[in-house]
Amino acid sequence: QVQLVESGGGLVQPGGSLRLSCVVSGFAVDGYAIGWFRQAPGKEREGVSCMRWRDGSTYDADSVKGRFTISRDKNTVYLQMNSLKPEDAAVYYCAARRSATAQVMCNDRGDYWGKGTLVTVSS
């Protein structure tokens, strides 16, 4: 079965940094894009940063460009979050999508989802 397991969420002050991890298993990852989505209370889920595994190409939402970086290593995808703002607070979800570019995934959806990890940005 496809498994996506996030970790690394927590409480951080505005301007601080946090690194999320997503361990992937159960599928041929070379045929997928992997990405991070987030959902804050009262808001719709939005794509944040996504990567096509095969070639490592990435896409970032305008709201996080220059602050967040997606990367991969072995069976894990990371989201390095710097210069965090209160509006970044949300549950962050790792997702996988078949045969998608990073941009398409981040502006649409995933096929499989992790359970999420909570990021709180507050002083």
Side-chain angles (χ1 to χ4, degrees), residues 1-9 20-24 34-40 45 90-96 111-119:
Q1 63 275 0
V2 174
Q3 292 188 65
L4 303 163
V5 181
E6 307 98 329
S7 63
L20 307 182
S21 299
C22 174
V23 178
V24 305
I34 309 294
W36 292 93
F37 291 71
R38 67 187 182 188
Q39 187 166 25
R45 186 173 59 202
V91 177
Y92 282 71
Y93 298 90
C94 183
D111 293 323
Y112 305 98
W113 298 87
K115 294 181 179 180
T117 186
L118 177 63
V119 173

